[in-house]
Amino acid sequence: MSRIDLQAEDQTSLLSVESVQPSPDTLSKLVRRLRTMTLTLLPVEVPLESLDDPTSRIITPQVISAYMASAGDFVEALPYCLLRARKEFMWDANHNPADYGENLGRAIACEVLARRVIHRAPPDRITPMMSTRFMHREIDGDESEKVSALEMAIDSHCTIFLSSTEAQDVVNDLWKGHLVQKHDVKHDIDFMPFTEHTHDGFWSHMSPSRLAVPRYQNIFRILVWAIFLLVYSQAVREPLDKIDPDYHDFDTWEIILYTMALSFCFEALTLPFTQIYKLLRFVSWRAFGFWNFISFMIDTLLFSAFILRIVGIASSETNNHAMRLRSFQCLSFVAPMICLTFNAELIPIFDGYKYVGTMQICIARMLQESSMFFGLLAILGVGFLQGLYALDAADGQQENPFELINVLIQALLQAPNYEWFKSSPAGLGLYYLWNVATAVILLNVLISLFSSAYDDVVEDAAAEYLAYFADKAVGMVRAPDQYLYPAPFNLIELVFIAPLEYIVPTHTYKTINKWMMSIVFFIPLAAIALFEAELDPSKNKWVKDWLSHPDQGVIGGAESQDPEVDGEDAERGLKISTVPFAELIEVFPDTTHSSEAVILREVRDLKQQIEELKKLISEKA
């Protein structure tokens, strides 16, 4: 098939295709076909930078057209299948070190092709191609989890794909609520435009479903966390204010603290058992990340502090003081994590500042890299602990093992206690080796890992930040409850609403939730409706002009290409466009193709001219 035929076919396919839901077996076959094509395209290792180049000599417009034609009637699922092929190539690369470079190049090629396919799609087909969820047939014969191309790109950290304009447009539509999720009877989620977005009426935006919009979720969570931080600060002062030994009851601030903590625990652990099931069944375990672990630790410590406090109140006076102390010790460990989580919630407020997002990405990447350091440290620490404990037991007088662990940790933190081993030359020598191994070797390894992680992030800071923001936005709508009651109001749902789900009909349950949410969240919903109806910059020109400068550099029109002179300059016969715009750009180089492609095209044109010249000469002869 010729190049022109391929381009015509893929354009016709994209324009005529409707949203389809192919079977998992069909998509698995398409993935295998794409893998075969990629293996044919890249049989050897190539420089990685040559693949993502907009004028790549490998991923040319003809190659993109061939891939689009290879999908047949399933072009809408092509980005999903290409990202799935990328994931399989990455698995091959990580499990076959000898061919790591080749498979890494093929994986990047699939990601670049997915981005180019989305770029060629008509504007009205971009959102379905990005957000429609598909399944494929796994090797063991089971059906995979249902994910979209956008979600798969986030799970696989496809910065090239996620940094594209098309992907960010869909992410921003999800973030601002222009795209909303719709639940069907099979607990699946489809994304559709918010129909009231174009309406100007206040009451058309007064909908409880708007609480599920990531932008508003984020603001609500920040306010709740700010209140929780204030309550926590007051509650931890209770041991100083309540020094009466006969006082056993909960302080008022403690009651508020543990009530809010209980709501957070239910939100993260107990209440959304159905949500966790949906997340694992219909999404993926990869949706759990670093901040989920931090939230789990906060909930665990708060729950432990609450249990210890209850045990202390219910026990004798002596035991009450001990349990009370242990409870507030648990609370003290919560403080750094609360501030860390509060900072994480604040990040999207400053999403216009790339530096803030890049800083958090660097920290998260450094924490991931440090896992290698702590793994080596744990193995090495066990060996030295056994050796020093054996030397300590050899003289017949064993010290407390925890004191020995404390000495090793002090040495790791640059405060070694050499006096502890002064009576044992062998133990002192082994302790010297521990200090050399940790302070000189392992800590320098950790510094190198941190430096490498920082360089990797900063080298492509813009793409890394856009991928982070996409993860943040999509994570809030990935597997939400159909009726969202943010903490601490989820306790209302747990006590009064959730039991009715199994008693009343479905439509009645829906009506109850609608009215309950409208009453409980009247003030936030009124603020959201006021913003969307009157203050949203995307709908109000005066707000947009107030928040940002109007674009003074509009290009592309005839007025910009060949502007006319007005006023006194026109009367004097002066002109700007003495040379037409079309004539000016004739000398511009073709930056849409690589230099090799331009040379090959010129050679083909030259050969064609030579053939025509030969034909004319032969006819005259």
Side-chain angles (χ1 to χ4, degrees), residues 301-319:
L301 289 171
L302 288 173
F303 185 73
S304 301
F306 176 74
I307 294 299
L308 291 172
R309 196 76 173 88
I310 291 293
V311 172
I313 292 175
S315 59
S316 61
E317 180 177 340
T318 304
N319 193 33

Side-chain angles (χ1 to χ4, degrees), residues 47-99:
L48 300 182
E49 58 273 9
S50 66
L51 297 172
D52 191 25
D53 190 348
T55 60
S56 173
R57 63 182 180 85
I58 299 174
I59 303 180
T60 62
Q62 295 80 9
V63 171
I64 300 172
S65 298
Y67 271 84
M68 295 175 70
S70 69
D73 295 328
F74 305 101
V75 180
E76 195 161 285
L78 184 57
Y80 168 86
C81 293
L82 283 169
L83 292 176
R84 176 62 195 174
R86 176 201 182 275
K87 184 176 179 180
E88 294 183 3
F89 278 125
M90 287 302 302
W91 190 93
D92 294 339
N94 293 326
H95 290 78
N96 188 3
D99 293 332

Side-chain angles (χ1 to χ4, degrees), residues 328-566:
F328 283 96
Q329 285 176 343
C330 289
L331 286 180
S332 65
F333 281 98
V334 175
M337 298 184 184
I338 290 179
C339 293
L340 186 65
T341 304
F342 184 65
N343 289 332
E345 298 291 343
L346 281 175
I347 288 296
I349 291 294
F350 305 99
D351 57 4
Y353 300 95
K354 185 177 67 176
Y355 173 78
V356 179
T358 304
M359 176 184 63
Q360 182 174 353
I361 296 170
C362 287
I363 295 174
R365 184 70 64 84
M366 289 178 180
L367 292 175
Q368 293 177 1
E369 297 289 345
S370 63
S371 60
M372 181 184 300
F373 164 78
F374 285 108
L376 294 173
L377 179 65
I379 297 174
L380 192 64
V382 170
F384 276 95
L385 180 63
Q386 288 179 336
L388 292 174
Y389 184 77
L391 289 174
D392 182 53
D395 59 3
Q397 298 180 354
Q398 297 182 11
E399 300 290 342
N400 191 337
F402 292 101
E403 294 183 4
L404 184 58
I405 295 175
N406 182 46
V407 171
L408 293 178
I409 295 176
Q410 287 178 342
L412 179 64
L413 300 177
Q414 307 300 305
N417 184 8
Y418 296 106
E419 295 296 325
W420 208 77
F421 296 95
K422 63 181 181 180
S423 61
S424 174
L428 186 61
L430 197 58
Y431 193 58
Y432 283 147
L433 290 177
W434 166 256
N435 282 273
V436 171
T438 55
V440 178
I441 300 176
L442 286 184
L443 288 181
N444 281 283
V445 171
L446 181 62
I447 293 172
S448 299
L449 292 173
F450 281 177
S451 177
S452 176
Y454 180 81
D455 291 339
D456 291 342
V457 172
V458 174
E459 183 179 359
D460 197 11
E464 290 285 349
Y465 171 69
L466 292 175
Y468 157 76
F469 181 72
D471 189 8
K472 184 76 174 181
V474 176
M476 291 185 177
V477 297
R478 193 160 193 180
D481 194 357
Q482 189 170 0
Y483 308 104
L484 182 65
Y485 288 80
F489 299 98
N490 56 351
L491 294 179
I492 297 177
E493 181 186 17
L494 176 68
V495 176
F496 300 105
I497 305 299
L500 299 177
E501 184 176 4
Y502 306 98
I503 301 175
V504 300
T506 303
H507 66 279
T508 304
Y509 182 72
K510 181 179 180 180
T511 303
I512 293 174
N513 275 280
K514 180 180 179 180
W515 283 103
M516 177 62 73
M517 295 179 70
S518 299
I519 295 172
V520 174
F521 301 109
F522 178 79
I523 295 178
L525 290 175
I528 292 172
L530 178 63
F531 172 78
E532 292 186 344
E534 303 295 338
L535 302 177
D536 191 351
S538 64
K539 298 171 58 179
N540 296 275
K541 185 178 183 302
W542 71 270
V543 178
K544 184 176 182 180
D545 293 343
W546 179 52
L547 295 175
S548 60
H549 297 288
D551 189 2
Q552 300 290 340
V554 179
I555 61 174
E559 296 179 357
S560 300
Q561 295 178 358
D562 292 311
E564 297 291 338
V565 177
D566 301 325

Side-chain angles (χ1 to χ4, degrees), residues 223-236:
L223 294 176
V224 171
W225 271 102
I227 296 172
F228 182 72
L229 189 59
L230 174 64
V231 171
Y232 173 82
S233 301
Q234 295 296 324
V236 293

Side-chain angles (χ1 to χ4, degrees), residues 211-251:
L211 286 174
V213 173
R215 176 169 57 180
Y216 306 137
Q217 281 191 57
N218 182 65
I219 296 174
F220 193 89
R221 288 179 181 179
I222 290 174
L223 294 176
V224 171
W225 271 102
I227 296 172
F228 182 72
L229 189 59
L230 174 64
V231 171
Y232 173 82
S233 301
Q234 295 296 324
V236 293
R237 294 178 55 192
E238 194 267 348
L240 300 178
D241 299 337
K242 305 294 183 184
I243 57 177
D244 185 2
D246 296 329
Y247 186 83
H248 294 274
D249 296 333
F250 279 107
D251 180 74

